[in-house]
Amino acid sequence: MSPSQARRARQQQRTRQRILEAATAVLLKHGVDGFSMRRLAARIGYTPTAIYCYFADKESLLGEVVERQFMSFRSMFEKVERIHDPLRRLLEMGMAVVEFGLRHPDHYRLMFLTPHPALPKGRLVERGNPGQDCYAYLLSTVREGLEMQRFRTELRDAEQLAQVVFAAVHGLVALHLVKGDDPWVDWRPIKPKARIMIEGLIRGLSRTP
Amino acid sequence: MSPSQARRARQQQRTRQRILEAATAVLLKHGVDGFSMRRLAARIGYTPTAIYCYFADKESLLGEVVERQFMSFRSMFEKVERIHDPLRRLLEMGMAVVEFGLRHPDHYRLMFLTPHPALPKGRLVERGNPGQDCYAYLLSTVREGLEMQRFRTELRDAEQLAQVVFAAVHGLVALHLVKGDDPWVDWRPIKPKARIMIEGLIRGLSRTP
DNA sequence: AATCTGACTTAACACTGTTAAGTAATATTA
DNA sequence: TAATATTACTTAACAGTGTTAAGTCAGATT
């Protein structure tokens, strides 16, 4: 590869980043629904068509934004890493997810409430690496609990347990984001609910001494 | 009101129903995303504009479809009404929700995964009536459990408990519908997960004898 | 018989994602 | 250095969306 080719490639990569960052900004400002290729293009001073030189379509662009967001999602778990007890860590991980959902509702929506059909992921996040992949980190925590025989004897599948715990927390956040303003239900504050739910669930799945 | 005026009003009501039924059909066939006013219009042999004589906009039309769907959602609970033990009934209600989500994914999406901003609800479903309003029924079951002192002493808020239990189940269904095809996670079958989750949660929230 | 009402249509607006074809600047090659 | 090729974009258009103002025409009212 010639020097000028390398420079071009670098430039191209930088433009990609610029688009991705602008996309994230537009997303934060206008929400998932208010996001459009044309708006994004206007923001970076390009025509809508230009974006298609860097991304196949809207879906895959959003997919990459999501993956970047999963990176920052993982960073929410850093503060719980020091907790030794895996079950207590599981609790605080759940609370961190709720925290993230409340702080970044649009990103949460994009990550977990919007289907992204068959995207080639794994560009940024290394799947299965607990240091980058949130699900892998959750899994490792559950595995730790299993190894310490903290769960009921009939529960042996780490994947199953991880999915159950995450789904419960996710349900709370999802309902809050989608139905939180619905006056049909007299909604109670989410954080106490989260504590009660996760503590209750963990207690119910735990081995009783 | 003259006889012919009454006839007109009846006719109008019938046309409304026809549109609502066609909308439900289009929704089932093409999903929430594939639903469009124009497609719906074509199906009933009208122009798109005609629909606006009966419904303010797409949002409120879908809102009414949702409310009808909540009616049939409530009927899923009929088979658990015979269960005497409130905590066991709670478990089976959760399983019924999962069942409904698997059977009618598009309706579930529309009901619980799509925000419907500030719709004047209560046209069909009488809010607070356990026989019609699912949430009210859930609430009554939780209240029964509370009266029988089946929950831990610190848990006294029926609304809070109901929301926690439903959110957990909802999370499972929501994740299945939105992320079920995502190969990033090695998804385990949803029904066993649901049983384990609800049993675990109820056990964890229950008073230990 | 003339008027009015109301159910519906026509035609258009302002959007959306996406693509084929074109352009102008830059890099490569003869 | 001049001709060619590549690259980074733009122009213009297509097909679709929700929505609305204005118009039409049959049937009810007067």
Side-chain angles (χ1 to χ4, degrees), chain B residues 117-138:
Chain B
L119 286 176
K121 277 174 281 189
R123 296 175 60 98
L124 276 92
V125 179
E126 187 192 340
R127 180 168 177 252
N129 178 349
Q132 295 177 14
D133 176 358
C134 310
Y135 182 70
Y137 183 59
L138 169 62

Side-chain angles (χ1 to χ4, degrees), chain A:
Chain A
M1 200 203 274
S2 77
S4 82
Q5 265 181 328
R7 201 171 62 231
R8 284 242 152 123
R10 264 202 314 277
Q11 181 57 45
Q12 207 167 340
Q13 200 56 34
R14 229 176 296 149
T15 311
R16 265 186 76 95
Q17 290 291 328
R18 219 161 67 83
I19 295 175
L20 282 170
E21 272 154 38
T24 312
V26 170
L27 218 65
L28 270 177
K29 197 170 218 165
H30 302 277
V32 187
D33 298 341
F35 178 91
S36 87
M37 297 300 259
R38 297 176 125 99
R39 211 195 293 270
L40 169 61
R43 192 186 179 90
I44 53 178
Y46 283 164
T47 45
T49 329
I51 303 170
Y52 289 86
C53 299
Y54 298 92
F55 298 92
D57 52 16
K58 186 184 182 177
E59 195 58 50
S60 65
L61 197 172
L62 285 182
E64 289 210 31
V65 177
V66 170
E67 205 173 347
R68 294 170 129 251
Q69 226 49 49
F70 268 107
M71 288 289 279
S72 85
F73 186 61
R74 173 62 182 85
S75 75
M76 292 287 293
F77 288 158
E78 281 168 12
K79 65 184 176 205
V80 308
E81 281 176 353
R82 65 181 62 186
I83 301 173
H84 282 104
D85 181 49
L87 264 47
R88 251 194 58 78
R89 192 158 73 238
L90 212 52
L91 167 64
E92 293 306 329
M93 283 171 74
M95 295 307 291
V97 170
V98 173
E99 194 81 45
F100 183 90
L102 295 178
R103 257 223 273 278
H104 312 289
D106 277 309
H107 290 146
Y108 195 94
R109 231 186 297 270
L110 195 64
M111 286 194 289
F112 294 116
L113 257 31
T114 316
H116 299 285
L119 287 175
K121 278 173 281 188
R123 297 175 60 100
L124 276 91
V125 179
E126 187 192 337
R127 180 168 177 251
N129 178 351
Q132 296 177 12
D133 174 359
C134 311
Y135 182 70
Y137 183 60
L138 169 62
L139 215 50
S140 75
T141 299
V142 172
R143 287 215 180 92
E144 217 175 303
L146 278 171
E147 280 163 19
M148 292 167 77
Q149 309 201 314
R150 300 286 299 274
F151 291 108
R152 299 170 65 81
T153 40
E154 67 266 33
L155 304 171
R156 269 162 305 202
D157 186 349
E159 302 263 0
Q160 190 185 48
L161 279 174
Q163 286 164 31
V164 162
V165 173
F166 175 65
V169 178
H170 166 69
L172 221 44
V173 179
L175 223 50
H176 178 81
L177 293 183
V178 175
K179 291 276 168 198
D181 289 328
D182 194 327
W184 190 273
V185 170
D186 182 5
W187 294 109
R188 293 291 189 263
I190 185 170
K191 282 192 185 178
K193 281 193 292 189
R195 276 225 115 76
I196 286 171
M197 171 195 269
I198 312 171
E199 278 178 349
L201 186 58
I202 290 178
R203 183 183 294 121
L205 297 176
S206 294
R207 201 173 294 199
T208 39

Side-chain angles (χ1 to χ4, degrees), chain B residues 8 12 38 45-47 49-50 53-54:
Chain B
R8 281 242 155 122
Q12 206 167 341
R38 298 176 123 98
Y46 283 165
T47 46
T49 329
C53 300
Y54 298 91

Side-chain angles (χ1 to χ4, degrees), chain B residues 52-98:
Chain B
Y52 289 87
C53 300
Y54 298 91
F55 298 92
D57 51 17
K58 185 183 182 178
E59 195 57 50
S60 66
L61 197 172
L62 285 182
E64 288 212 29
V65 177
V66 170
E67 204 174 349
R68 294 171 128 250
Q69 226 48 51
F70 268 107
M71 289 289 278
S72 86
F73 186 61
R74 172 62 182 84
S75 76
M76 291 289 291
F77 288 159
E78 280 167 14
K79 66 183 175 205
V80 310
E81 281 175 353
R82 65 181 63 189
I83 302 173
H84 281 104
D85 182 50
L87 265 46
R88 249 193 61 77
R89 191 158 73 238
L90 213 54
L91 166 66
E92 293 306 330
M93 282 172 72
M95 295 307 291
V97 170
V98 173

